[in-house]
Amino acid sequence: MANPLPPFTFFFLLFLLLATPSSTSSPTFPIPINSDRQSHLQFYIHDKISNPNATAIKVAADPNGSRASATGLHFGSIYVIDDPLTEGPDPNSKPLGRARGLYSVSSSDGSDLYFTVNVIFMYGIYNGSSVAIVGRDPIIEKVRELPVVGGTGIFRLARGFAFMKTHAFDTTTGDAVLFVEAYILHH
Ligand SMILES: *[C@@H]1O[C@H](CO)[C@@H](O)[C@H](O)[C@H]1NC(C)=O
Ligand SMILES: *[C@@H]1O[C@H](CO)[C@@H](O)[C@H](O)[C@H]1NC(C)=O
Ligand SMILES: *[C@@H]1O[C@H](CO)[C@@H](O)[C@H](O)[C@H]1NC(C)=O
């Protein structure tokens, strides 16, 4: 995927010219159909399964989890996450928010996740606004595309898509750093 943009920045294309923080204002109806704004978001998600301080917790698993899996993930497992979101791949880089929700292993060979996560921004004028990313995450593919299905605050009526890449993966612990690039239309 071509990416002419600086790799470790978090920014909103066009958005700064158009934005008015509106998360507490009442919507006006009808919503003008030509009012869509565009945002291009980039951030890293730190999915830490290992202890101490795991941010992804396995809450359910196949009681007979002996099934072979190329990925180490077992069909039927469910993880609940409260992962930090940062500007760069370093976990100590600028914090931008949290990715909260869950993913489940939804293919029998362990290669596909069903990913349903609210990305909550806690930064500047975006503080408190969120987008919902829901879809299929075939983790063995280099780039996955997931739907952005909605949002709150600045991202009301969001729709779009997100490209997700595994930036780093620790095969011993299962800890992962994900790079997400989202293209969103919103009100
Ligand atoms: C885990 O969290 C505690 C409390 O926030 C902190 O003191 C400790 O340094 C953390 N440990 C690691 C390995 O991050
Ligand atoms: C567990 O899986 C094995 C291998 O597929 C199977 O032989 C066994 O019957 C299963 N046990 C249960 C309790 O489902
Ligand atoms: C975000 O909003 C919360 C609640 O309104 C506030 O406590 C927090 O300090 C804000 N954080 C930033 C970085 O502005």
Side-chain angles (χ1 to χ4, degrees):
M1 180 178 55
N3 180 9
L5 305 161
F8 303 143
T9 55
F10 174 76
F11 65 93
F12 298 76
L13 216 61
L14 301 181
F15 183 70
L16 292 173
L17 294 172
L18 301 169
T20 42
S22 62
S23 55
T24 54
S25 64
S26 298
T28 50
F29 289 93
I31 293 166
I33 56 170
N34 62 352
S35 70
D36 278 337
R37 295 166 181 164
Q38 302 174 41
S39 292
H40 175 194
L41 316 179
Q42 294 188 122
F43 50 83
Y44 289 81
I45 296 176
H46 301 267
D47 194 51
K48 189 174 184 299
I49 290 176
S50 65
N51 280 306
N53 304 346
T55 60
I57 296 170
K58 189 195 264 188
V59 295
D62 177 359
N64 184 13
S66 56
R67 189 193 294 263
S69 163
T71 61
L73 294 171
H74 294 285
F75 179 46
S77 301
I78 300 176
Y79 294 77
V80 173
I81 68 168
D82 181 1
D83 289 344
L85 219 67
T86 60
E87 186 176 62
D90 183 337
N92 297 315
S93 65
K94 183 174 189 168
L96 302 176
R98 311 292 293 191
R100 290 177 175 156
L102 55 86
Y103 53 81
S104 56
V105 184
S106 57
S107 68
S108 56
D109 65 358
S111 66
D112 261 41
L113 304 183
Y114 173 59
F115 187 90
T116 171
V117 166
N118 290 310
V119 173
I120 304 153
F121 299 100
M122 300 172 180
Y123 161 71
I125 60 166
Y126 312 105
N127 191 7
S129 295
S130 68
V131 294
I133 300 178
V134 176
R136 174 185 176 224
D137 178 11
I139 54 173
I140 55 175
E141 289 178 16
K142 193 167 184 295
V143 182
R144 292 86 75 180
E145 180 181 342
L146 288 90
V148 175
V149 300
T152 65
I154 279 171
F155 300 113
R156 271 181 195 152
L157 294 177
R159 62 199 184 286
F161 54 94
F163 292 122
M164 189 184 289
K165 292 182 198 173
T166 303
H167 173 78
F169 181 69
D170 185 324
T171 51
T172 311
T173 59
D175 295 351
V177 180
L178 307 168
F179 176 57
V180 179
E181 204 174 7
Y183 298 83
I184 304 172
L185 298 178
H186 53 93
H187 186 53

